Amino acid sequence: MSETDEAHGAPPERMGRSPAHIRNPELRFEAMRALVWAAVAGLFVLAVYISQSLLVIFGAMVFATMIDGGTRLLGRYLAIARGWRVAIVIVAMIAFFVWLGYFAGSQISQQAAEFPAIVGEQIGRLLGLLREQGFAIQQDDVQDVAASLVSGVGTVTRAIGGIFGGFATILLILIIGIYIAIDPNLYERGVAWMVPAHQRKVFHETLETMSFTLRRLLAGRLVGMFAEGIFTWALLAYGGQIIGIGPVPMAALLGLLTGLLAFIPNIGALISGALMVLVGFSGGTDMGLYTIFVYLLVQNFDGYVLIPMIAKKTVDLAPALVLGAQLIFGVMFGILGLALADPLLAMIKVGLERRAARLDNETSAEAED
């Protein structure tokens, strides 16, 4: 026997059958089927276990899509390499946040310091009014419910909860998103490599449709955020002076919060509206009624002008479906799931529509044959 045989044992042709070999073909087929089902179940359990990381990756993809949209927009006017356009978009985003911090930070930070006290005072007045009407509601109960809504429920939420966890999550989303935006084709080819060869064309077409839809959806969302924030600030800061009740306190902070919360459809508008009305009533009944008018005016403009214009060029999602997805993802993943529920639902809908169209085409082709 050679040195190789002595080191590694007898060659394969001299070895007997494996003890795991199943001679019955039908039984071997069923065993392979059971193995496939076990692998699918294992992958599902793994996906649930790492769902936090998957959601962070999807958030990075959403951020990368924002950068990619700005890069494509610049490409219409600047005939330069993609890398330079990506750099311009990133520098512009950083410059915006630096401007927000330096020029508006002092005013907004001062308002933010006073904001909790005003909201707490108004909630106390509201609870007092409700108790006078016979409702047994304590302020501690309301605070506990609010804390639960903010912190979320479950292991995943606790894992990403907290100030440091939130900053770390945002930092990961930004870094991964920038890497994806710099060369998205690299990652697309890597995923396509794991797809069967005969399905790769369909994969690329579906991914392109998803990317296009997500870019339009996010562009429309950013336009809506900017419009709602500016309109809210202008109406609160100057509209009250025109009708003689004076400017609403914290107009800049309320405009900023309204713009940011507009990224979360339905729920974001309710939260910003409630905060706006609470601050408004701190200045009197007339000012409180005026903030209700501002809220209704801004939301009607958004609902009847902006959203229909955006929906014509993006995926059309039923409001109840979006709200249900937000509630589910909000409970499961906290604020991050709440913010990403809408884009994720849109991508699922596009994927299902593409598959349904492909099946219809195959059925029509078989009928013609």
Side-chain angles (χ1 to χ4, degrees), residues 28-343:
R28 186 165 59 248
F29 175 77
E30 294 297 332
M32 291 299 297
R33 176 183 290 182
L35 180 62
V36 170
W37 278 108
V40 170
L43 289 175
F44 178 78
V45 173
L46 179 64
V48 172
Y49 183 74
I50 63 173
S51 55
Q52 172 198 351
S53 301
L54 294 177
L55 194 65
V56 170
I57 293 174
F58 180 75
M61 294 171 62
V62 171
F63 178 65
T65 303
M66 292 182 181
I67 299 177
D68 183 62
T71 302
R72 290 171 181 263
L73 183 62
L74 283 179
R76 298 180 180 180
Y77 308 100
L78 297 178
I80 56 178
R82 175 184 171 83
W84 288 106
R85 285 183 278 128
V86 171
I88 292 174
V89 172
I90 294 175
V91 170
M93 294 175 61
I94 295 175
F96 170 75
F97 286 109
V98 169
W99 171 84
L100 186 64
Y102 276 96
F103 292 92
S106 58
Q107 180 183 6
I108 292 179
S109 61
Q110 181 180 358
Q111 294 178 357
E114 302 173 0
F115 189 69
I118 292 179
V119 173
E121 180 182 355
Q122 294 303 106
I123 291 178
R125 292 181 179 178
L126 178 61
L127 293 179
L129 179 62
L130 292 175
R131 282 194 291 267
E132 291 178 1
Q133 303 299 322
F135 293 95
I137 302 177
Q138 301 297 326
Q139 189 163 357
D140 293 339
D141 298 333
V142 177
Q143 293 176 350
D144 292 340
V145 173
S148 299
L149 291 175
V150 172
S151 62
V153 181
T155 304
V156 175
T157 305
R158 288 194 297 270
I160 63 175
I163 296 177
F164 294 104
F167 279 123
T169 300
I170 294 174
L171 184 62
L172 282 174
I173 289 175
L174 296 179
I175 294 175
I176 298 174
I178 291 173
Y179 276 122
I180 295 175
I182 291 174
D183 189 5
N185 292 329
L186 174 65
Y187 304 97
E188 181 179 344
R189 290 194 301 268
V191 177
W193 178 71
M194 296 183 287
V195 177
H198 66 281
Q199 293 288 338
R200 288 176 184 173
K201 181 180 179 181
V202 175
F203 169 79
H204 285 294
E205 292 176 351
T206 302
L207 190 61
E208 180 60 30
T209 304
M210 286 183 173
S211 300
F212 176 79
T213 303
L214 188 57
R215 286 196 302 269
R216 290 296 185 90
L217 179 67
L218 294 175
R221 190 63 51 78
L222 291 176
V223 170
M225 292 170 63
F226 179 79
E228 288 194 32
I230 291 296
F231 288 164
T232 300
W233 166 74
L235 290 173
L236 294 180
Y238 303 105
Q241 295 181 354
I242 296 176
I243 63 176
I245 62 174
V248 177
M250 306 181 183
L253 179 61
L254 290 172
L256 178 62
L257 290 176
T258 300
L260 293 176
L261 290 172
F263 187 82
I264 308 175
N266 303 323
I267 295 178
L270 293 176
I271 297 175
S272 62
L275 296 176
M276 190 188 309
V277 172
L278 286 175
V279 173
F281 275 101
S282 67
T285 304
D286 293 339
M287 186 174 290
L289 294 176
Y290 176 70
T291 55
I292 294 177
F293 166 76
V294 171
Y295 170 74
L296 294 177
L297 179 63
V298 172
Q299 294 306 317
N300 279 305
F301 174 78
D302 181 66
Y304 290 102
V305 179
L306 285 180
I307 290 181
M309 292 173 58
I310 295 169
K312 290 180 180 179
K313 297 184 178 181
T314 59
V315 61
D316 189 15
L317 296 174
L321 184 62
V322 174
L323 183 58
Q326 289 173 345
L327 292 176
I328 293 173
F329 281 93
V331 170
M332 292 176 62
F333 306 110
I335 189 64
L336 185 61
L338 190 65
L340 297 177
D342 193 29

